Amino acid sequence: MTQAEREQENGKEKEKEREKEKEKEQRGVKRPIVPPVIPEPLQEQIQSNFIVVIHPGSKTLRLGRATDTLPATIPHVIARRHKQSGQPRYEDPWLLREGLNRPESNEQRQNGLKMVDQAIWSKKMSNGVRRTPVCADQARLYNRQMRPAVLDTSPRVKWTNTSQHPEFLVGEEALYVNPADCYSVHWPICRGYLNIHTGPSGSLTAVLADLEAIWSHAIQKFLEIPLKDLKYYRCILLIPDIYNRQHVKELVNMLLVNMGFSAIVVHQESVCATFGSGLSSACVVDVGDQKTSLCCVEDGVSHRNSRLCLAYGGSDVTRCFFWLLQRAGFPYRECQLSNRLDCILLQQLKETFCHLDQDISGLQDHEFRTRFPDSPALLYQLRLGDEKLQAPMALFYPATFGIVGQKMTSLQHRSQGDPEDPHDEHYLLGTQSKQEQSSKATAERKALSKPAGFEGESCSQGADPSERGHSQDMELGQSQNDCLMGGTDMEEPPSALLSRKTAITQFEGKALGLDKAILHSIDCCASDETKRKMYSSILVVGGGLMFHRAQEFLQHRILNKMPPSFRRVVENVEVITRPKDMDPRLIAWKGGAVLACLDTTQEMWIYQREWQRFGARMLRERAAFVW
């Protein structure tokens, strides 16, 4: 076939195709339209080694890159040099707190100890035998006769060298500053909140300056990141479940504007704890040094009504143990709660000796060493009985702490409003109620104009979809913004509102035991299905309950006190204290590192430029929880 014939053949085929197209168009059959190729938006690659995870605690700061196996852990304390000579020395208390020296404190402490003893003696040991009675006088007599033995005359522990007169010292260096030096010691976070008080350096500005100094020092020293390079880094900040909005706003501003991080994600400790432990749902019990927070988390969402914060923790157990040691004739008689180094020693003694194993009974002999600067190392002999069990049990009988006249239980309260955030929940609730009123009026008008045959239908069916949406929004607003008792302030009659507020005040005045607080938190969940999930997954994190046999002890108490209706339904009450054999103190930080790697986190970043332009409104827009 010649070239000309081939071209003619091709021309005929093209004509046939054109005729077919015309026939299809005449029949009404359209060709499928090929969508144009739209390039997908380029997602920024997540570089975890350029994300710093910060978990600030009352006594310990944990921070590290998201790629680090373990975070750097330092005491959350700073020592600042006096600006003027002769300035009085000031030190924030560590184990001491308000409410301990009231006239009724000792009576309350004794009553709490009676309840602890009753609980100890009511339960038999695992072999079915009653506990061996302990003669307190016998231990006291032995301890009072003990004299320390000198181990080493040259002290190995030294005071921090301040010969260069640094402006401030951080962490371990701050703890070992000589009281004779011209430095004041500050703990910038107290019971989970910024430590704002009326004493020296207790203003919001001073506390934020202390935090910035500690965090900047730790980032440079432990992560080896120069501060000028923070513009290339992002930050994940862990905050308490029950947070102070003003404090969070100030911290975000400090990290983005003062320290210069390029972006930040703010998330709650409880949710991060579930990420770190690999659980989808759990009742998270975080026993810290100065506070214990509880919250039920389901699929990455913290149930607002289940949040509870108890104003006691590990340091209260330490102080209670010291009181019990004194009753038992503690041989180190110079020990003082106002002395920083004695506080460190008492923390170590609590961690070494205390337990929740009811099979250990009778008197046992122990020994401990004291190593302080400017004094020889000493070895003390000590005989103890039930004191080692009584101190940690104070978490379940908080009266034993002897704290009087202090607010011991906190709940998530409604925001007081922020001038930077005009569309806050007060505005939303106000506008929603107006929308609801207008939708009701519209529905009534439509009902009046309906024919008689339609009278049986509900108003919501008569209302248009947008109006139904408003009423649903209102319901959502109520459930998200209420705590403990339910209902909104604006809808209740004054008498009901007063009784609800009185109930909350009475509730907050009580010091709930840890087991009762767990039951209360789970009981605040909306559905029975959620409650069942929570009973079968109680996750204990933080360092305040790291006692031998704590898991079995807590499990036994929850089983005994849970409602009978759930006892039949819940197959297994499980208390998890070491998920994946991890240190429970690091689980929330680890969850923050996991959060940094999730694709969904991409939508939660607040960038520096956005923050400078919109301020606190960005937290409402980007936070993964109801702000």
Side-chain angles (χ1 to χ4, degrees), residues 398-427:
T400 320
F401 296 136
I403 303 161
V404 176
Q406 298 294 299
K407 182 179 173 181
M408 295 300 289
T409 307
S410 302
L411 305 160
Q412 184 75 59
H413 282 290
R414 192 170 292 165
S415 166
Q416 295 304 304
D418 189 319
E420 274 187 30
D421 186 10
H423 295 92
D424 62 6
E425 57 192 82
H426 296 277
Y427 170 85

Side-chain angles (χ1 to χ4, degrees), residues 139-340:
R140 198 178 298 119
L141 190 65
Y142 175 86
N143 291 331
R144 282 179 178 167
Q145 290 173 347
M146 281 293 108
R147 295 291 176 267
V150 178
L151 289 174
D152 191 353
T153 51
S154 59
R156 294 182 190 175
V157 179
K158 293 182 179 178
W159 294 116
T160 302
N161 182 5
T162 57
S163 59
Q164 300 296 317
H165 305 293
E167 185 188 339
F168 61 84
L169 295 156
V170 167
E172 290 284 345
E173 290 181 334
L175 282 182
Y176 284 92
V177 164
N178 192 330
D181 289 346
C182 301
Y183 283 83
S184 289
V185 179
H186 305 290
W187 299 89
I189 292 186
C190 179
R191 274 178 273 291
Y193 299 108
L194 299 186
N195 189 11
I196 296 167
H197 55 83
T198 52
S201 296
S203 67
L204 176 62
T205 310
V207 171
L208 288 168
D210 286 343
L211 280 173
E212 187 178 340
I214 296 169
W215 296 4
S216 299
H217 172 85
I219 286 167
Q220 289 179 101
K221 182 178 178 181
F222 298 104
L223 306 188
E224 297 177 349
I225 301 171
L227 294 182
K228 62 181 174 58
D229 289 349
L230 287 183
K231 59 189 174 188
Y232 305 117
Y233 285 80
R234 298 177 178 202
C235 172
I236 288 185
L237 176 67
L238 274 60
I239 62 167
D241 307 324
I242 296 180
Y243 49 86
N244 181 310
R245 288 172 178 82
Q246 180 65 22
H247 292 184
V248 174
K249 178 181 142 185
E250 295 292 349
L251 289 176
V252 171
N253 193 64
M254 182 188 86
L255 288 161
L256 288 178
V257 179
N258 299 11
M259 292 176 69
F261 279 99
S262 65
I264 191 170
V265 164
V266 178
H267 218 324
Q268 293 164 300
E269 292 170 334
S270 61
V271 177
C272 288
T274 59
F275 290 153
S277 58
L279 297 170
S280 60
S281 303
C283 174
V284 181
V285 184
D286 185 350
V287 188
D289 186 81
Q290 295 186 3
K291 70 169 177 66
T292 299
S293 55
L294 301 99
C295 179
C296 293
V297 178
E298 193 174 18
D299 300 323
V301 177
S302 150
H303 288 295
R304 184 177 178 134
N305 289 358
S306 70
R307 293 178 208 162
L308 205 62
C309 184
L310 309 171
Y312 59 78
S315 61
D316 297 282
V317 176
T318 305
R319 192 182 57 254
C320 180
F321 187 47
F322 176 55
W323 171 63
L324 293 167
L325 287 174
Q326 286 181 310
R327 287 171 84 247
F330 192 42
Y332 171 39
R333 290 170 188 82
E334 299 79 22
C335 191
Q336 296 287 332
L337 289 174
S338 54
N339 184 319
R340 208 182 321 125

Side-chain angles (χ1 to χ4, degrees), residues 12 42 63 151 179-181 253 268 281 314 353 372 380 389 447 480 522 524 548 565 619:
K12 286 178 182 175
L42 288 169
L63 85 171
L151 289 174
D181 289 346
N253 193 64
Q268 293 164 300
S281 303
F353 297 149
F372 300 129
Y380 286 89
L389 176 58
Q480 287 173 345
I522 294 174
C524 284
H548 175 58
S565 56
L619 284 164

Side-chain angles (χ1 to χ4, degrees), residues 29-65:
V29 179
K30 292 181 180 177
R31 289 179 67 187
I33 299 167
V34 180
V37 178
I38 301 168
E40 286 188 14
L42 288 169
Q43 265 203 336
E44 198 174 338
Q45 189 65 36
I46 300 171
Q47 292 182 299
S48 301
N49 57 325
F50 281 89
I51 297 175
V52 176
V53 182
I54 301 177
H55 183 197
S58 303
K59 282 293 166 280
T60 309
L61 168 68
R62 295 181 179 88
L63 85 171
R65 287 181 173 86

